[in-house]
Amino acid sequence: MNQTKTEAKAFGRYIRMSPNKVRRVLNQIRGKDYKEALMLLEFMPYRACGPVWQVVYSAAANAQNNLNVSKDKLYISEAFADQGPVLRRFRPRAQGTGYAIRKPTCHIGIKLDLKN
């Protein structure tokens, strides 16, 4: 994962959402233009679209500020969601037992690159 001069990246860490549900959204925008990806994220009916939109927008801002690149020339070259730590909670159940509830988190990573 060497970063080139034309590549900008951003990460969203500890997002309180299952990585499988985030990957469902990332598969839709991988390889798309920056503007097209934002439009898709705006109108998709999934809760995961909010945090993904923020990370994509942040990566584009990084490209504009750090590399002096116009946002119109960017596309999503890499998009991934890794599993974060799982928050373990317990719900009281019948006869004094405890039922484990697992609340997953994930780390979202986006890399933007220049269109050829």
Side-chain angles (χ1 to χ4, degrees), residues 20-38:
N20 291 334
K21 293 178 182 179
V22 174
R23 285 185 197 118
R24 177 174 58 182
V25 171
L26 293 178
N27 290 337
Q28 297 291 316
I29 65 166
R30 191 176 288 117
K32 300 266 197 286
D33 294 343
Y34 164 72
K35 297 274 186 187
E36 186 181 352
L38 287 186

Side-chain angles (χ1 to χ4, degrees), residues 35-72:
K35 297 274 186 187
E36 186 181 352
L38 287 186
M39 286 297 276
L40 280 171
L41 290 170
E42 195 96 17
F43 294 107
M44 275 201 281
Y46 304 117
R47 202 186 108 211
C49 291
V52 172
W53 188 93
Q54 286 182 323
V55 176
V56 170
Y57 191 82
S58 176
N62 291 342
Q64 193 173 25
N65 291 330
N66 301 340
L67 305 174
N68 295 324
V69 174
S70 173
K71 290 182 180 181
D72 298 330

Side-chain angles (χ1 to χ4, degrees), residues 83-99:
Q83 186 171 356
V86 176
L87 303 174
R88 298 187 62 90
R89 302 292 182 258
F90 286 93
R91 167 91 43 214
R93 300 298 286 196
Q95 309 211 353
T97 61
Y99 182 75

